[in-house]
Every structure is written in C-alpha cells, then in structure tokens.
Amino acid sequence: MDGSAPPAANAADMTASLDSLYRRYDRWLRSALRKRHGREVADDVATETFIRLAPHAAAGVIRDPKAFLLRVAHNLIIDRQRRERVQAASEPFDETSPALRATPAAQDAALTLKQILMDLPPELRDVLVLNHIEGLTYREIAVTLGLPLTTVHHRMRQALARTAAAMRD
C-alpha cells in the first residue's frame, strides 16, 4: 500500500467490500479500540475506519487488513485529538479557574498574561498557544494549521519576542 488513493470502484463493489470488511473485522476492531480508547471513541472511529478502507478493499490492494484497519483507526484518533485540542485552544479564556483564584498575585499575573496573549495577532497567538499550552510540536502545529514548518518557526519567534517585550514593559 503506497498511501495513494485507490482506483474508483463502482457502488456495488464498494458496498460488497464494506459489508465484507464489516462482517469479518468489526468485532475484532471494536474490541481492540475499546481496550485502548473506550467504547465511545471505538464506536465512532470503527465506523469511519471501515468507510475509509472500503475503496481499498474493492480495489484489492490491502495486504494485511488488520494492520491497515489499526493504522487508519489510529490516524483517525490522532486527527480527532488534534481537532479537540485546537477547539479547546480557541475557546474563551476561563477566568474562574481554581488556579487563577489562588492568590491576588496569581490573578494579576494570569490577567497580565491573558492580556498579552490577546494583544498578539491571531496567527502568532495560535502558534504560541498550541505549542506552549497544548504541547504540540512545531511539526504538529504545521500540520494542524496547514502551514509550512518554517512559517511556524517564524511565527513562534515573533510571538515570543513580542511576549517578552510586553512582559518587560
């Protein structure tokens, strides 16, 4: 499997492939995913996994169906987690967090940092938050935001320089 798109199959072949994959591997795949990720994730991901594999099965290009099913399911879970992190990063800042209510000094520092981050241009703020708060690598940020890796590096340098200058003021 070279990762390229499979040849287009007719609807009957796709239906037959999907049915065959589902009947043969559904119980096994859901069990494997539940052990690692829980029932809800397993059920959502398994369905999409079979849909993604059906064209490849119809074309007859799958050499190891179980390995391919697990790889596609794993990739779907990673994509899902990244979307959730990006969504969480774009949600409004929660000033009622227990960590921020600890002391007046902590509240002042948190509000100052929040203001500095909010004053950054969105493209710089996104890169900074995804790396320093969400823990994504530069490569993951590039993939998530659809940017070249060098652009992520450049934006991070700018964001850090502006943040440091604002902290000094």
Side-chain angles (χ1 to χ4, degrees), residues 44-72:
D44 288 347
V45 170
T47 302
E48 189 169 350
T49 301
F50 287 114
I51 292 169
R52 297 268 178 116
L53 257 64
H56 297 279
V61 295
I62 300 176
R63 287 181 289 210
D64 186 350
K66 285 185 175 182
F68 198 17
L69 283 163
L70 285 177
R71 171 53 34 203
V72 170

Side-chain angles (χ1 to χ4, degrees), residues 33-46:
L33 293 174
R34 280 184 192 130
K35 288 177 186 173
R36 237 178 141 187
H37 303 286
R39 178 178 219 96
E40 183 180 323
V41 171
D43 292 341
D44 288 347
V45 170

Side-chain angles (χ1 to χ4, degrees), residues 45 70 124 130 148 155 163 165 169:
V45 170
L70 285 177
L124 300 182
L130 288 172
R155 287 183 181 178
T163 302
D169 293 344

Side-chain angles (χ1 to χ4, degrees), residues 97-113:
S97 167
L100 297 180
R101 287 186 270 131
T103 65
Q107 288 178 345
D108 288 343
L111 289 175
T112 301
L113 181 58

